[in-house]
Amino acid sequence: MGDDRATAPRKTAPTKTVFIKTYGCQMNVYDSERMADVLRPFGYGVTDAPEGADLVVLNTCHIRERATEKVYTELGHLKRMKQRKAQAGGRMMIAVAGCVAQAEGVQIRHRQPAVDLVVGPQAYHQLPELIARAHRASGEKLSADFSPQDKFDALPKERGVTGVSAFLTVQEGCDKFCTFCVVPYTRGAEWSRPAADIEAEARVLADKGVREVTLLGQNVNAYDGLEGGLAALVRRLARIDGIDRIRYTTSHQRDMDDALIAAHGELPELMPYLHLPVQAGSDRILKAMNRAHTADSYLRLVEKIRVARPDMALSGDFIVGFPNEREADFEATLNLVRAVNYASAFTFKYSRRPGTPASAMPGQLSDAVKDERLARLNALVQEQQAAFNTATEGATLPVLIEKIGRLPGQIVGRSPYLQPVHCEGPASLIGKIVPVTILTGQRGSLAGKLEVGRLEMETA
Ligand code: 5AD
Ligand code: SF4
């Protein structure tokens, strides 16, 4: 597939070795091959002997008699190899995968503490995540051979340099391990910047004339650099003179706690726009994506947020054509979009990222199917976006003016819902929050009339 080749991993020589011993059935042979596939981008090359390997995986089967006991015997040998390697200053990780791992569970590590990882039956799905976590736990950096400049990995780029609105990084990394995503490997564990540093930077920005800050993080609402999390940080920043608008992106449903939802109802500085990706509307696909939420739990969360802030504009990310996505799964995504009614949305064709568990899943779809679904999803979200914008016609919105427009005498800013708004007015209004009555709402922007008489109105 065209888009997949473009993101193929660079061909570098393996720097680590993995020995995979396969017991039992064809299923396990297949699983072992996929494990080798997902480990390759992390620098693991397959070796045919366990001695000296960096990682040994026993992909087990307990159908045959005494199979479990055989695994423990093998683990005894491996333990000694591991000790030998440690004495020479190296490290060997031992993983038990497959049916015995499922049957014995944590028991394995009790009986043989040399085991580092126990992975369930569809082992390869979990292997990259478990290896990455094991590396993090030991403080080692996992060097992944992903192509640089991944378009899904980057935080948003600086939006214009208007001097009025600025991005402020507060968090990096991700611990969620969605099976399609490279971020947990490329960006590492969730990390929060100290609140004092963020506050100091926000004050500097405010002194320079910034009125709006957008707090950035791959998992921004997992922020824990302050007791009370992101909600506490937002409250602290809202007290800074000059900072009148606060936004944050990107959020994960799991970290959308009650305090943050409550802040949306209470803080006028917190803008009524929330980017809350759901990715898909089918529970089967969400599970395969390792999203740890269902379509229903997402909808209930949205409802709760809208109780706190009834005019909340929602935005989301969607992936179409995830491995094994059936027509009915895709329709569940369309239904979820209909149920939420988004103000904007980012839609993606599933792209195979080597090293991610989903890239090794069977049931990869053709580009033609992905294209067709993407077109249908786009039609729906564009319709919703247009409807959201036309619904503002006649309303007077507080607009933060950011810059002069393309036409003479025109100025451009943003509504609380992040819609670009243009109207006629003097450049002296840049940096001010002014009332604009919306005359026409189109899909991409709003056109309005400055309410000169009510110029001093600030955010409602
Ligand atoms: N294929 C398609 N979309 C992806 N995203 C992340 N990884 C992939 C991938 N492999 C999308 C998700 C995420 C957004 C930043 O990029 O929707 O939320
Ligand atoms: Fe990637 Fe976002 Fe999932 Fe983290 S939560 S793994 S950044 S898609």
Side-chain angles (χ1 to χ4, degrees):
M1 276 168 283
D3 62 337
D4 295 339
R5 259 198 310 274
T7 53
R10 287 160 292 154
K11 296 272 178 296
T12 51
T15 52
K16 295 190 267 285
T17 52
V18 54
F19 172 73
I20 306 177
K21 179 161 181 168
T22 312
Y23 298 77
C25 64
Q26 264 322 105
M27 272 293 286
N28 270 13
V29 174
Y30 176 85
D31 257 22
S32 293
E33 284 167 6
R34 298 290 80 74
M35 284 190 231
D37 288 346
V38 295
L39 289 170
R40 202 165 295 119
F42 298 99
Y44 285 96
V46 173
T47 172
D48 54 12
E51 187 76 48
D54 297 292
L55 170 65
V56 175
V57 182
L58 299 185
N59 193 7
T60 62
C61 173
H62 69 167
I63 293 199
R64 278 183 310 174
E65 215 185 330
R66 295 186 54 243
T68 306
E69 284 315 307
K70 274 192 191 158
V71 169
Y72 281 112
T73 309
E74 183 74 36
L75 286 173
H77 298 149
L78 291 174
K79 177 188 167 188
R80 285 186 287 281
M81 283 184 209
K82 182 175 175 155
Q83 284 166 342
R84 281 199 291 277
K85 195 164 181 204
Q87 275 156 12
R91 182 178 181 211
M92 174 191 277
M93 264 204 275
I94 300 175
V96 179
C99 308
V100 171
Q102 187 186 28
E104 300 274 294
V106 286
Q107 266 297 102
I108 298 179
R109 294 190 69 185
H110 285 218
R111 227 177 117 176
Q112 181 46 273
V115 171
D116 298 278
L117 306 171
V118 177
V119 260
Q122 281 186 314
Y124 64 86
H125 289 178
Q126 299 165 355
L127 206 52
E129 170 175 351
L130 293 171
I131 301 260
R133 287 191 193 278
H135 275 265
R136 289 175 184 185
S138 68
E140 243 180 286
K141 198 160 167 14
L142 181 70
S143 57
D145 187 21
F146 290 102
S147 48
Q149 290 286 312
D150 192 294
K151 69 172 171 171
F152 301 120
D153 168 349
L155 287 170
K157 295 275 175 310
E158 196 79 37
R159 165 158 46 91
V161 189
T162 63
V164 167
S165 177
F167 285 107
L168 185 47
T169 298
V170 304
Q171 186 274 344
E172 276 248 15
C174 179
D175 293 342
K176 307 293 190 289
F177 291 94
C178 299
T179 54
F180 51 81
C181 186
V182 295
V183 167
Y185 312 107
T186 55
R187 298 296 179 117
E190 286 173 1
W191 169 86
S192 297
R193 216 177 142 193
D197 293 3
I198 298 166
E199 190 177 345
E201 190 176 335
R203 285 187 191 282
V204 170
L205 290 170
D207 287 345
K208 288 186 180 161
V210 166
R211 309 263 335 246
E212 175 182 84
V213 288
T214 301
L215 310 180
L216 289 184
Q218 254 103 18
N219 247 282
V220 71
N221 56 344
Y223 180 80
D224 67 354
L226 184 65
E227 205 176 320
L230 188 65
L233 180 68
V234 167
R235 286 181 191 277
R236 203 149 140 180
L237 299 179
R239 286 200 291 268
I240 299 176
D241 261 358
I243 301 295
D244 295 307
R245 289 186 166 193
I246 300 174
R247 305 178 184 277
Y248 58 91
T249 197
T250 293
S251 302
H252 193 285
Q253 127 136 27
R254 268 189 262 179
D255 300 310
M256 203 68 217
D257 62 16
D258 288 346
L260 191 53
I261 296 174
H264 274 286
E266 292 161 14
L267 281 184
E269 290 86 356
L270 200 46
M271 290 292 101
Y273 175 97
L274 181 63
H275 184 59
L276 192 64
V278 62
Q279 312 295 356
S282 148
D283 289 345
R284 200 174 68 87
I285 297 296
L286 287 169
K287 188 157 186 272
M289 287 178 162
N290 192 29
R291 289 289 300 180
H293 60 78
T294 61
D296 190 55
S297 67
Y298 180 84
L299 290 174
R300 275 185 279 123
L301 177 63
V302 166
E303 215 175 281
K304 204 163 151 187
I305 293 165
R306 282 183 167 150
V307 167
R309 183 78 208 219
D311 64 338
M312 182 69 91
L314 276 155
S315 135
D317 289 345
F318 297 89
I319 295 178
V320 299
F322 188 81
N324 261 314
E325 183 188 66
R326 301 182 194 129
E327 173 63 22
D329 297 311
F330 173 65
E331 279 166 19
T333 298
L334 295 178
N335 285 338
L336 181 141
V337 171
R338 289 187 192 104
V340 172
N341 203 4
Y342 286 92
S344 76
F346 299 88
T347 57
F348 304 95
K349 265 197 295 183
Y350 169 68
S351 148
R352 245 172 134 166
R353 307 316 322 276
T356 58
S359 74
M361 286 181 189
Q364 302 286 331
L365 301 184
S366 72
D367 245 6
V369 170
K370 293 183 200 172
D371 283 334
E372 191 262 344
R373 290 183 185 165
L374 185 69
R376 281 157 70 198
L377 178 61
N378 280 344
L380 177 61
V381 299
Q382 284 168 12
E383 193 185 299
Q384 292 193 342
Q385 191 171 343
F388 183 81
N389 286 350
T390 45
T392 58
E393 287 174 3
T396 303
L397 300 178
V399 175
L400 171 58
I401 303 296
E402 294 184 350
K403 57 188 177 191
I404 54 168
R406 268 185 295 127
L407 303 177
Q410 197 184 49
I411 49 176
V412 188
R414 296 250 173 196
S415 77
Y417 313 106
L418 207 60
Q419 298 146 300
V421 182
H422 50 90
C423 60
E424 281 190 7
S428 58
L429 292 182
I430 292 171
K432 301 238 162 29
I433 296 170
V434 299
V436 177
T437 298
I438 306 307
L439 301 175
T440 51
Q442 279 144 7
R443 182 152 67 82
S445 66
L446 311 177
K449 182 173 140 308
L450 188 66
E451 293 295 342
V452 184
R454 293 162 54 189
L455 257 188
E456 279 318 297
M457 182 177 113
E458 287 281 345
T459 32

